[in-house]
Amino acid sequence: MSKIEQAFANGKAFIPFLTCGDPDLATTEQLVYAMADAGADLIELGIPFSDPTAEGPVIQAANLRALAAGATTDQIFAMVERIRRKTDIPLVFMTYANVVFSYSSKRFMQRMAHCAMDGLILPDVPFEEKADFAPFCAQCGIDLISLIAPTSQSRIERIAGEASGFIYCVSSLGVTGIRSSITTDVSAMVDQVRQATDLPVAIGFGISTPQQAQQMAAKADGVIVGSAIVKMIAQYGQAAVPHVAQYVREMKNAIKRLD
Amino acid sequence: MSRGRFGMHGGQYIPETLMNAVIELEEAYTYYKKDADFIRELDVLLNEYAGRPSRLYYAQKMSRHLGGAKIYLKREDLNHTGAHKINNVLGQVLLAKKMGKSRVIAETGAGQHGVATATAAALMDMECEVFMGAEDMERQALNVYKMRLLGARVHGVHSGTATLKDAVSETMREWTNRIHDTHYVLGSVMGPHPFPTIVRDFQAVISREIKAQCLELEGRLPDCVVACVGGGSNAIGAFYHFIDEPQVALIGCEAAGRGIDTLQTAATICTGRLGIFHGMKSYFCQDAYGQIAPVYSISAGLDYPGIGPEHAMLHDSGRATYVAVTDEEAVQAFEYLSRTEGIIPAIESAHAVAYALQQAPQMGKDKIMVINISGRGDKDCAAIARYRGEDIHE
């Protein structure tokens, strides 16, 4: 069992996302420790990109703030090395193809392995284009996480069949961001995924409240929350740590009861 | 596995949410491009509505004045809506209609592609929404008015640099939001497969006509075809039917902005490197960490940090040559063509004219150069006047 699959061993997994370097890397580091303590099972670390085409306005703005504050891929690797001295919580990077490609996929995955990162999510790399990345991930023991969308339909079997780590089910059409309700038939999508793979399934996009998390976790093995946390970081800046910790605790408690 | 490659470039680097949409588009295009009704309807639109074929005009005064090659101007500026953009848009909106879509969305830089899309949408009864950088809306206020007049909704894009690249990103985001009834009318030979191929095929009418017209007028092919390149749609259109004619030199003119040794440039081939962005592998202006550069050009239509994958391939193979032209050189060419031939070119096209001003005098009188005048310059007059220190109001 990979470390990522272990993240799903403590009941329904709560997976928070944040953008590294927003407002600064020291705060990001503290947020990771606080989220791990508050019950996060796996943390998604966003490496900022200038033009994040799969993100809604909240995470777009965080990407630009982090870049404006000077965050770079190398500094983020250095931060993860520091984090790894204190916690072994499963960690995955979420970034865009060009950030990895321009660094050199091989060198990027080697550095990921060196600082014990567990997985990588690239929202602009579909199944057909993974050859630029997947071989290096495999060499370095990194899980390249596959995304499945409400429009995937007949593609699900093929994607899930070659997936590793966990399956990231996108709850809704459109980009990341808080939604008042999720109208997609998520259950049908998850059922189809389950027929194709035994990997754990996490649902993301649009989830912000404990009620939504409960609803989605009931259908899957975990939930991913990004914009709600990033919004809190935007609001409180360096003082966000206790607020985010409290939120993560509430969300994990909300889905824990489902076990 | 990967589809739509031009050498190592191209591909489909897009969110999973859009994959079935581009696969559906490819299937529809593969069918309709051979469908006799589709071909006939598009021909009628291009000829009767857009005014094709466009003229290949012998610029006698300019040729005599420069004292070298014989210069012909391919007059895409005379098309309906004033640029080559209409060729692609009529094709794509007709295709969208055949696919049963009721709504089209588009990005626009200078506004020409937005106006063309709004025009075709009005003609073919489609709902139309255009995404335009807030900065460009200010630079091209007249085109914003035109799009609204034609019934389109124009959304200002404030993210990032608020220019063309951000408009493309925002249109892609909007497409992921609403796919079932919506077609994204991409305006250049860029983005994920099959767009670079579809747009190139619809623009290839330019080189098909140049070839026939030059043979008729001169009894031979030109020695050189020159076009400006942002994403590269007018250039690939002007080059395409000459790619297998190695005696014809193909020259793409990129926007150097304030110079390729400054950060205020949009010259992708001259200053960029290989990357993955906006659905494709190609060359992009970017920093050491792959962050896309905030590019600059006086021309809103060339103000883009990437180049279409087929151009990237033509550069790799050496089949086409890409040169950089500064704002100042383009403005001088804009003024030169206006005074010499009474033709006010788009500031984008003026980049190609600038190359001719440098190179035509070096060429023999027996040589033939074709410059693609991709659009007309009415939209640019206020900006050029401002560049020259004169404040005029539209």
Side-chain angles (χ1 to χ4, degrees):
Chain A
M1 193 193 282
S2 75
K3 235 173 92 197
I4 288 182
E5 288 170 67
Q6 286 170 33
F8 292 86
N10 322 311
K12 304 284 183 179
F14 182 68
I15 306 175
F17 165 92
L18 53 68
T19 302
C20 295
D22 172 34
D24 53 53
L25 286 169
T27 306
T28 301
E29 193 179 334
Q30 294 310 313
L31 282 163
V32 170
Y33 302 139
M35 292 195 293
D37 285 346
D41 296 289
L42 186 161
I43 298 173
E44 257 187 57
L45 300 174
I47 302 179
F49 181 51
S50 53
D51 301 83
T53 48
E55 313 296 347
V58 170
I59 298 179
Q60 277 177 50
N63 277 263
L64 296 182
R65 279 195 303 273
L67 290 173
T72 67
T73 307
D74 281 319
Q75 289 171 9
I76 291 165
F77 276 125
M79 176 194 73
V80 174
E81 280 167 18
R82 290 196 297 276
I83 289 172
R84 275 297 177 232
R85 286 180 213 131
K86 298 196 181 171
T87 172
D88 65 353
I89 186 169
L91 295 173
V92 301
F93 277 142
M94 206 303 301
T95 191
Y96 285 77
N98 204 45
V99 170
V100 179
F101 184 78
S102 82
Y103 199 87
S104 146
S105 288
K106 186 178 176 182
R107 197 159 71 93
F108 191 93
M109 304 318 166
Q110 284 171 342
R111 282 214 68 176
M112 278 187 76
H114 178 74
C115 55
M117 286 294 300
D118 302 291
L120 176 63
I121 304 172
L122 297 171
D124 56 346
V125 177
F127 179 80
E128 283 80 351
E129 301 295 354
K130 66 182 180 176
D132 287 304
F133 307 96
F136 303 109
C137 287
Q139 277 168 27
C140 296
I142 306 290
D143 286 322
L144 183 62
I145 308 301
S146 299
L147 290 103
I148 283 173
T151 49
S152 297
Q153 296 154 356
S154 61
R155 298 168 50 79
I156 290 179
E157 199 175 331
R158 215 159 20 122
I159 297 169
E162 289 187 22
S164 68
F166 71 93
I167 302 281
Y168 189 139
C169 265
V170 175
S171 75
S172 312
L173 293 176
V175 291
T176 58
I178 295 164
R179 287 165 170 79
S180 54
S181 66
I182 292 167
T183 53
T184 314
D185 187 353
V186 175
S187 302
M189 180 168 42
V190 173
D191 287 347
Q192 219 182 325
V193 173
R194 296 240 193 260
Q195 283 168 23
T197 180
D198 295 330
L199 290 177
V201 178
I203 302 173
F205 277 43
I207 302 166
S208 63
T209 66
Q211 292 72 26
Q212 286 173 322
Q214 260 173 5
Q215 275 170 17
M216 289 298 130
K219 304 172 200 285
D221 304 304
V223 296
I224 302 164
V225 172
S227 294
I229 290 168
V230 170
K231 206 172 163 186
M232 229 173 266
I233 297 169
Q235 188 183 346
Y236 296 106
Q238 291 171 330
V241 180
H243 299 278
V244 172
Q246 173 64 21
Y247 176 77
V248 169
R249 206 168 291 123
E250 279 171 27
M251 294 295 273
K252 177 66 187 179
N253 282 337
I255 59 176
K256 224 186 211 165
R257 279 180 239 135
L258 296 171
D259 298 329
Chain B
M1 228 12 137
S2 174
R3 305 174 70 79
R5 290 282 165 172
F6 298 91
M8 66 174 148
H9 306 284
Q12 296 178 303
Y13 298 87
I14 49 172
E16 171 60 21
T17 305
L18 289 176
M19 278 307 294
N20 268 328
V22 296
I23 291 167
E24 179 201 10
L25 176 61
E26 182 182 4
E27 285 168 1
Y29 178 63
T30 305
Y31 174 80
Y32 283 110
K33 75 176 178 185
K34 291 182 194 146
D35 177 66
D37 288 339
F38 180 84
I39 295 168
R40 194 168 42 243
E41 284 171 56
L42 182 56
D43 273 349
V44 170
L45 286 169
L46 288 171
N47 297 342
E48 305 307 319
Y49 187 70
R52 301 209 72 85
S54 71
R55 301 305 169 109
L56 186 68
Y57 166 73
Y58 172 39
Q60 197 174 3
K61 270 186 75 192
M62 182 178 176
S63 303
R64 199 184 305 138
H65 177 251
L66 294 176
K70 204 167 173 183
I71 295 169
Y72 282 90
L73 306 178
K74 179 59 173 167
R75 299 292 308 276
E76 291 298 301
D77 59 313
L78 295 180
N79 295 339
H80 181 44
T81 71
H84 70 291
K85 293 290 185 188
I86 195 79
N87 305 332
N88 166 46
V89 161
L90 288 172
Q92 280 200 50
V93 177
L94 184 63
L95 179 62
K97 189 105 189 156
K98 299 274 183 195
M99 289 172 73
K101 306 287 180 183
S102 58
R103 173 177 177 258
V104 289
I105 54 175
E107 86 293 345
T108 196
Q112 294 303 99
H113 176 60
V115 169
T117 306
T119 299
L123 179 70
M124 294 185 233
D125 279 324
M126 303 279 258
E127 197 185 327
C128 178
E129 294 184 38
V130 178
F131 294 81
M132 187 171 188
E135 168 116 343
D136 290 336
M137 284 178 78
E138 201 150 306
R139 287 199 275 192
Q140 301 287 352
L142 185 61
N143 274 340
V144 175
Y145 176 77
K146 282 186 197 168
M147 287 184 265
R148 288 180 174 146
L149 182 66
L150 291 159
R153 280 177 65 193
V154 183
H155 302 279
V157 177
H158 295 271
S159 60
T161 52
T163 60
L164 180 55
K165 83 171 162 93
D166 308 288
V168 173
S169 297
E170 204 53 37
T171 318
M172 283 184 171
R173 290 182 185 118
E174 175 58 24
W175 203 23
T176 62
N177 206 28
R178 194 168 149 187
I179 300 168
H180 69 284
D181 67 346
T182 299
H183 173 68
Y184 178 5
V185 183
L186 227 160
S188 194
V189 283
M190 48 154 295
H193 174 69
F195 285 105
T197 298
I198 292 181
V199 179
R200 177 255 277 150
D201 288 353
F202 288 142
Q203 292 294 358
V205 65
I206 301 173
S207 50
R208 194 158 61 235
E209 288 177 7
I210 294 174
K211 206 168 184 178
Q213 290 164 325
C214 196
L215 282 171
E216 193 186 322
L217 292 163
E218 293 284 344
R220 68 180 186 91
L221 297 181
D223 296 286
C224 173
V225 177
V226 188
C228 64
V229 181
S233 71
N234 91 82
I236 212 76
F239 293 173
Y240 186 65
H241 288 283
F242 296 111
I243 290 174
D244 293 329
E245 307 280 2
Q247 72 275 29
V248 182
L250 306 174
I251 312 292
C253 300
E254 299 191 309
R258 300 210 163 92
I260 54 170
D261 49 353
T262 73
L263 289 173
Q264 289 171 306
T265 181
T268 307
I269 294 282
C270 295
T271 68
R273 63 192 171 86
L274 191 64
I276 297 171
F277 183 49
H278 278 163
M280 59 184 171
K281 187 180 280 181
S282 187
Y283 295 108
F284 296 95
C285 301
Q286 54 184 310
D287 75 7
Y289 288 103
Q291 307 297 343
I292 303 303
V295 293
Y296 163 81
S297 161
I298 190 170
S299 144
L302 302 182
D303 198 355
Y304 182 71
I307 188 165
E310 195 165 4
H311 284 293
M313 180 184 74
L314 293 174
H315 168 69
D316 289 349
S317 69
R319 178 63 194 93
T321 304
Y322 297 85
V323 299
V325 172
T326 64
D327 284 358
E328 178 59 30
E329 291 165 329
V331 168
Q332 284 176 17
F334 177 87
E335 293 165 343
Y336 177 90
L337 197 68
S338 302
R339 284 193 191 134
T340 311
E341 292 288 347
I343 295 170
I344 304 173
I347 188 64
E348 288 78 17
S349 324
H351 286 70
V353 177
Y355 174 85
L357 297 185
Q358 290 166 12
Q359 292 303 313
Q362 324 292 326
M363 295 167 70
K365 285 192 162 59
D366 58 331
K367 301 290 184 192
I368 300 169
M369 174 186 269
V370 174
I371 309 170
N372 196 32
I373 305 298
S374 55
R376 67 177 184 227
D378 312 42
K379 67 181 176 56
D380 300 306
C381 288
I384 305 296
R386 273 198 300 280
Y387 180 87
R388 288 298 192 211
E390 197 180 328
D391 193 18
I392 63 168
H393 299 278
E394 285 172 333

